[in-house]
């Protein structure tokens, strides 16, 4: 979907990463991403596991459900990565890219728990009540 390589990092700068060959990007409205980020909805991008690389620092880890690990900065708290053990791809928070506008989410997931305040966000994009049906 997006060729080339993008860099990103957490708020305090201890964590730095690089992604390549972005496969997709989407808004997640699930209650877990809401709590993990403190935001009304969270934009994610998806890359193959091999296309995500930490270039500085070691993230802290939190297992938010069986087989799911959320990686974040243990110093400043920025959420960086969503890692589902059974998947070949990982999800990275668009908001931690150095240039978030380089990526445009193309759909929404978990809209069954979307907040009213996010109604105008990504208006017109396909909305999936739960996970995306591929
Ligand atoms: Zn940090
Ligand atoms: Zn979510």
């Amino acid at each position: 979907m997006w060729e080339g390589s993008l860099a990103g990092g957490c708020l305090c700068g201890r964590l730095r990463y690089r992604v390549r060959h972005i496969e997709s990007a989407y808004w997640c409205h699930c209650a877990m991403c809401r709590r993990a980020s403190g935001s009304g909805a969270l934009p994610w991008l998806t890359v193959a596991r091999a296309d995500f690389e930490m270039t500085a620092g070691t993230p802290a880890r939190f297992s938010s459900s069986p087989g799911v690990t959320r990686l974040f900065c243990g110093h400043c708290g920025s959420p960086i990565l969503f890692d589902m053990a059974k998947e070949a791809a990982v999800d990275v928070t668009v908001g931690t890219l150095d240039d978030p506008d380089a990526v445009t989410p193309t759909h929404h997931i978990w809209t069954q728990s979307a907040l009213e305040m996010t109604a105008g966000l990504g208006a017109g994009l396909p909305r999936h009540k739960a996970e995306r049906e591929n």
Side-chain angles (χ1 to χ4, degrees):
M1 182 168 225
W2 288 276
E3 287 305 324
S5 153
L6 293 172
C10 67
L11 175 60
C12 75
R14 282 174 169 80
L15 298 185
R16 295 291 300 166
Y17 66 81
R18 186 162 278 283
V19 292
R20 298 178 300 162
H21 307 304
I22 296 169
E23 294 174 3
S24 69
Y26 61 92
W27 284 102
C28 186
H29 296 266
C30 86
M32 296 174 84
C33 285
R34 195 150 71 219
R35 290 221 187 247
S37 67
S39 182
L42 190 55
W44 291 101
L45 62 85
T46 303
V47 291
R49 215 169 262 288
D51 289 331
F52 174 85
E53 178 193 6
M54 288 304 303
T55 53
T58 303
R61 308 167 75 88
F62 173 67
S63 179
S64 57
S65 42
V68 174
T69 307
R70 291 173 186 262
L71 284 74
F72 59 97
C73 178
H75 186 73
C76 72
S78 296
I80 298 286
L81 194 81
F82 180 92
D83 184 342
M84 197 177 275
K86 68 180 171 82
E87 301 286 344
V90 292
D91 295 321
V92 179
T93 48
V94 173
T96 59
L97 289 172
D98 294 341
D99 180 13
D101 272 335
V103 174
T104 307
T106 60
H107 60 281
H108 300 265
I109 65 169
W110 293 107
T111 58
Q112 65 189 13
S113 44
L115 301 182
E116 282 181 29
M117 69 172 77
T118 66
L121 195 66
L125 298 178
R127 299 175 71 84
H128 305 276
K129 278 192 162 46
E131 283 185 86
R132 187 177 184 185
E133 316 79 37
N134 279 309

